[in-house]
Each structure stands twice: as structure tokens, then as C-alpha cells.
């Protein structure tokens, strides 16, 4: 049984971050991807310095990698749901060329503006999230340009 859907688009439900049965907008996917990479980098550094023992390091690294994969799958399925597509299309990410194309589709194709079979549209990006996306975008473009010098 699905949770009851809001009657209009302005009523956004709160969703857990590892949920596979709701929708996710483009900018929210970018924000969550940026934050995931940032947190995993910090955790990786913390593990390296806190656990010089190779067994403890490897165990914690595996746990973080599994969590990252689950979180990434959740983002992809939620983004597909926002585009009114089945989450099973995420299996196309296994195919080398298809995953590249699907990655562009995630960022180029807008989601539905109304309720679809997967629920209500996701919450829009707030100002802080938009600032983080813009700053990371500017830094990334600057690093790309400086790599040619």
C-alpha cells in the first residue's frame, strides 16, 4: 500500500534519504551527489588516520562503499520515478555506454510537475542547496580550465 498522495503540488511529503519509492528533482540529485562525495571523502580521511590497522580500515571502507552504492541506487531510482519511469531502468547503469547516456538523461530531462504513479513531486531545492551547487560548479569549471595550463 502506497502512502496517500498530496492533492496539489505545493504539499511536499518528507522522504527518507534511502527511500526507493518516491521522486527526486534534478538539482536535488546533484546536491545529494555532491554531499555524498564530500562526506565519503571526509570519512575516508578519518578512517585512514583513525585506523592504521589494515583489517579495521578495510572493514570500514567496505561498509562505506556499500552504503554509497545503496545511496546512489536510491538517488537514481528516485530520479527515474520523478521522470515517470520504472526504477528498474537503473539496471541500464551496468551497461558501459548506457550508463553514460542515462547519466545525461538524469540531468537533462525534467521531472513531472504533477503527481504521477510514484507519488507527488519532490521538494524544490532551497537556497543553501543552490549555493552549494553553484560554488561546486564554479570550482569544477575553474579546475577544468586550469588543467589546460
Amino acid at each position: 500500500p502506497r502512502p496517500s498522495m498530496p492533492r496539489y503540488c505545493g504539499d511536499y511529503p518528507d522522504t527518507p534519504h534511502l527511500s526507493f519509492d518516491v521522486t527526486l528533482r534534478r538539482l536535488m540529485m546533484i546536491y545529494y551527489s555532491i554531499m555524498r562525495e564530500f562526506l565519503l571523502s571526509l570519512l575516508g580521511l578519518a578512517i585512514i588516520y583513525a585506523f592504521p590497522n589494515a583489517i579495521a580500515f578495510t572493514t570500514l571502507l567496505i561498509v562505506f562503499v556499500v552504503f554509497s552504492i545503496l545511496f546512489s541506487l536510491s538517488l537514481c531510482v528516485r530520479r527515474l520515478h520523478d521522470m515517470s519511469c520504472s526504477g528498474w531502468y537503473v539496471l541500464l547503469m551496468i551497461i558501459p555506454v548506457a550508463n553514460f547516456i542515462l547519466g545525461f538523461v538524469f540531468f537533462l530531462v525534467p521531472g513531472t510537475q504533477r503527481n504521477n504513479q510514484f507519488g507527488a513531486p519532490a521538494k524544490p531545492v532551497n537556497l543553501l542547496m543552490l549555493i552549494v551547487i553553484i560554488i561546486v560548479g564554479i570550482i569544477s569549471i575553474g579546475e577544468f580550465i586550469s588543467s589546460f595550463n
Side-chain angles (χ1 to χ4, degrees), residues 41 50 64 95 104 113 135 148:
S41 298
F64 290 128
I95 303 169
F104 276 116
Q113 298 299 318
I135 289 172
F148 291 112

Side-chain angles (χ1 to χ4, degrees), residues 39-50:
L39 291 175
L40 284 175
S41 298
L42 287 179
L43 290 172
L45 288 173
I47 290 171
I48 288 171
Y49 290 111

Side-chain angles (χ1 to χ4, degrees), residues 26-70:
R26 287 183 285 188
L27 287 177
M28 289 295 284
M29 183 175 184
I30 294 170
Y31 174 76
Y32 282 143
S33 297
I34 291 169
M35 295 313 292
R36 178 196 65 220
E37 294 303 321
F38 177 72
L39 291 175
L40 284 175
S41 298
L42 287 179
L43 290 172
L45 288 173
I47 290 171
I48 288 171
Y49 290 111
F51 297 101
N53 183 353
I55 295 173
F57 171 75
T58 305
T59 304
L60 285 174
L61 187 62
I62 289 171
V63 168
F64 290 128
V65 167
V66 167
F67 174 76
S68 178
I69 290 170
L70 286 174

